[in-house]
Amino acid sequence: MFLSSLVVSFALLLPTVQARPKSYAVWAADSGIARGQGNGLDANGAALVSYEHGEFQWGLRLLYELTGNKTYFNYIQTGANNIVFPNGTVHGKYNFTAYSLDPIRTGPTFIYLYKKTSQAKYKTAASVFRSQLNSHPRTGEGQFWHKLMYFNQGWLDGIYMGDVFYTAYTATFDANNATAWSDITAQFQLMFDNTLQTSTAPNDTGLLYHGYDFSHTAVWASPDRGHSPEVWDRALGWYMMALVDVAEMAPANSGQLKPTVLRILNDLAPKIRDAADPKTGVWWLVITQPGRAKNYFESSGTVMFVYALLKAVRLRYIADPDGSIVAAAKKAYKYAIANWVVPNNDGTMSWMNTVSVGSLSGDGSFDYYVNQTVDLNDLKGLAAFVLASLEFEKL
């Protein structure tokens, strides 16, 4: 009896979504908040610096600016306060010397909060991340390693994790630093040059492999440029989102940054459109192996592409004279809401079919990708769905 009462009492303390909102962006965001996702804490309540949280908070920021609902701003700030001490020190398992780009994706949240509140601790926390980039290991060409433990490897994921922050920080605090702008530009260009599929490649898509090893010592490194063997949808999704977000943030004095990312974006966007499954309109987990046994339609990469394509057209970063790019994004989005959104009895929604992880720590093979766990309510996918929904609802 006591246990039952305790459970009921605890349940009453949890936020709930009482009615299904008309906006899928609002519904997804409110559902994530109701589950306590993206709040700077792990499942045990310990502070956690997580790129997934940074991605979700980016969507909440856009929702707050669109709706004026202070719930979203307060949730962002609570999440940041869970991982930043009052003196600006970042905690929650952040380890500077691990030289990982992943945690840095929470940095744009700190910059946003500093602009809104003028609280010095947020600028200090952002500067901690910026200082990591000063000594972060690089390839001989200057590409940031994805992590110290991945010798000489650049991953598409790292562009979203590191360079969205690098751009936001430079634009806000160091806008006249031509060296920084040139460096950010190089990060995008080097990743593109070293991972682009060539026309002689098997299953050619003209898209980007997951990553590359400049030293050519990884077991998966190709003989020519050291690239990995497959095009993984979410890695490409991270890169595409970084292209449109950085293009939007890049100021007029950022040198070749905006022209470079727009040139890359215009190269990749029609190829992504063409790589979608013709029947469903969505994308395979391993894009280079469409229809192969065990391959499947993956949700996070799909909605990342929807977000990037629709935002690129809306801001006129890419031309869409026949409407085919918007049509492709709309078709994919409609498949997503019909197949991956699940209404729950408490008024929340759940999100399906997001692969839990994709890494180049192993052999980078097709079998590796298709054998990773597929999660329910994985925040990487849910946050991307918020972003895609925001763009779709602006059509």
Side-chain angles (χ1 to χ4, degrees):
M1 181 68 179
F2 172 75
L3 180 60
S4 298
S5 299
L6 185 62
V7 169
V8 171
S9 298
F10 179 70
L12 291 174
L13 295 176
L14 295 176
T16 58
V17 181
Q18 297 300 326
R20 186 266 191 250
K22 293 181 180 179
S23 162
Y24 277 95
V26 169
W27 195 19
D30 290 355
S31 298
I33 290 172
R35 287 189 289 267
Q37 295 183 275
N39 64 354
L41 302 174
D42 65 17
N44 297 314
L48 176 67
V49 182
S50 166
Y51 66 86
E52 300 178 35
H53 295 202
E55 180 196 7
F56 187 52
Q57 290 160 3
W58 185 273
L60 296 183
R61 172 180 68 83
L62 296 178
L63 264 178
Y64 170 60
E65 292 172 354
L66 182 68
T67 67
N69 185 341
K70 198 70 181 293
T71 298
Y72 301 126
F73 180 84
N74 292 341
Y75 197 80
I76 294 169
Q77 188 167 28
T78 298
N81 289 343
N82 281 332
I83 60 173
V84 178
F85 287 113
N87 66 358
T89 302
V90 182
H91 65 146
K93 302 178 183 177
Y94 168 66
N95 180 3
F96 187 113
T97 58
Y99 287 109
S100 172
L101 294 176
D102 287 345
I104 291 177
R105 187 54 190 80
T106 57
T109 296
F110 304 155
I111 296 169
Y112 175 68
L113 289 174
Y114 176 72
K115 289 179 177 179
K116 289 294 185 181
T117 69
S118 299
Q119 292 185 35
K121 68 175 183 177
Y122 298 126
K123 182 179 180 180
T124 301
S127 296
V128 170
F129 285 167
R130 178 63 183 85
S131 66
Q132 177 185 313
L133 298 181
N134 292 334
S135 55
H136 198 98
R138 297 171 180 253
T139 68
E141 294 179 309
Q143 184 92 64
F144 290 131
W145 296 8
H146 189 65
K147 294 182 183 181
L148 180 63
M149 65 185 291
Y150 299 132
F151 180 74
N152 259 302
Q153 294 178 25
W155 298 7
L156 295 179
D157 321 38
I159 296 293
Y160 185 76
M161 306 310 164
D163 292 294
V164 173
F165 164 74
Y166 198 177
T167 302
Y169 187 93
T170 306
T172 304
F173 301 118
D174 201 15
N176 294 318
N177 188 337
T179 301
W181 291 126
S182 178
D183 190 21
I184 297 167
T185 304
Q187 298 303 313
F188 279 93
Q189 189 66 59
L190 286 169
M191 188 64 69
F192 180 83
D193 292 343
N194 284 285
T195 62
L196 181 67
Q197 255 199 316
T198 64
S199 59
T200 59
N203 302 314
D204 176 47
T205 64
L207 295 172
L208 307 182
Y209 294 108
H210 187 170
Y212 72 100
D213 172 14
F214 184 72
S215 67
H216 292 211
T217 57
V219 65
W220 44 256
S222 67
D224 55 352
R225 288 167 293 147
H227 62 72
S228 59
E230 303 289 359
V231 175
W232 177 48
D233 72 324
R234 188 160 70 228
L236 185 57
W238 291 130
Y239 188 80
M240 288 295 292
M241 293 204 300
L243 288 171
V244 294
D245 290 344
V246 165
E248 187 177 30
M249 288 189 290
N253 65 341
S254 58
Q256 289 301 303
L257 177 57
K258 191 164 186 176
T260 297
V261 297
L262 292 185
R263 184 172 62 252
I264 294 172
L265 184 61
N266 276 271
D267 180 273
L268 294 177
K271 296 174 182 176
I272 288 175
R273 174 200 61 200
D274 295 344
D277 175 66
K279 182 178 180 180
T280 64
V282 297
W283 287 267
W284 296 91
L285 173 79
V286 182
I287 294 177
T288 24
Q289 304 282 349
R292 181 173 171 180
K294 295 186 70 175
N295 206 357
Y296 58 89
F297 302 132
E298 200 276 329
S299 65
S300 66
T302 287
V303 287
M304 288 175 180
F305 295 150
V306 170
Y307 169 72
L309 294 176
L310 290 181
K311 183 171 181 177
V313 173
R314 176 174 62 83
L315 296 179
R316 300 185 180 181
Y317 294 156
I318 59 176
D320 188 26
D322 63 357
S324 60
I325 291 177
V326 168
K330 289 171 69 175
K331 183 177 181 180
Y333 184 79
K334 290 176 181 177
Y335 179 95
I337 61 176
N339 292 273
W340 296 328
V341 172
V342 180
N344 299 318
N345 291 334
D346 63 357
T348 65
M349 57 152 281
S350 288
W351 178 253
M352 297 176 60
N353 263 55
T354 295
V355 67
S356 60
V357 69
S359 171
L360 291 174
S361 60
D363 64 2
S365 67
F366 172 84
D367 285 339
Y368 162 77
Y369 289 110
V370 298
N371 283 298
Q372 299 311 302
T373 303
V374 176
D375 284 346
L376 180 68
N377 293 325
D378 189 296
L379 191 56
K380 296 179 287 293
L382 183 73
F385 180 63
V386 172
L387 294 170
S389 297
L390 282 164
E391 286 299 327
F392 184 85
E393 289 162 12
K394 289 177 181 178
L395 286 174

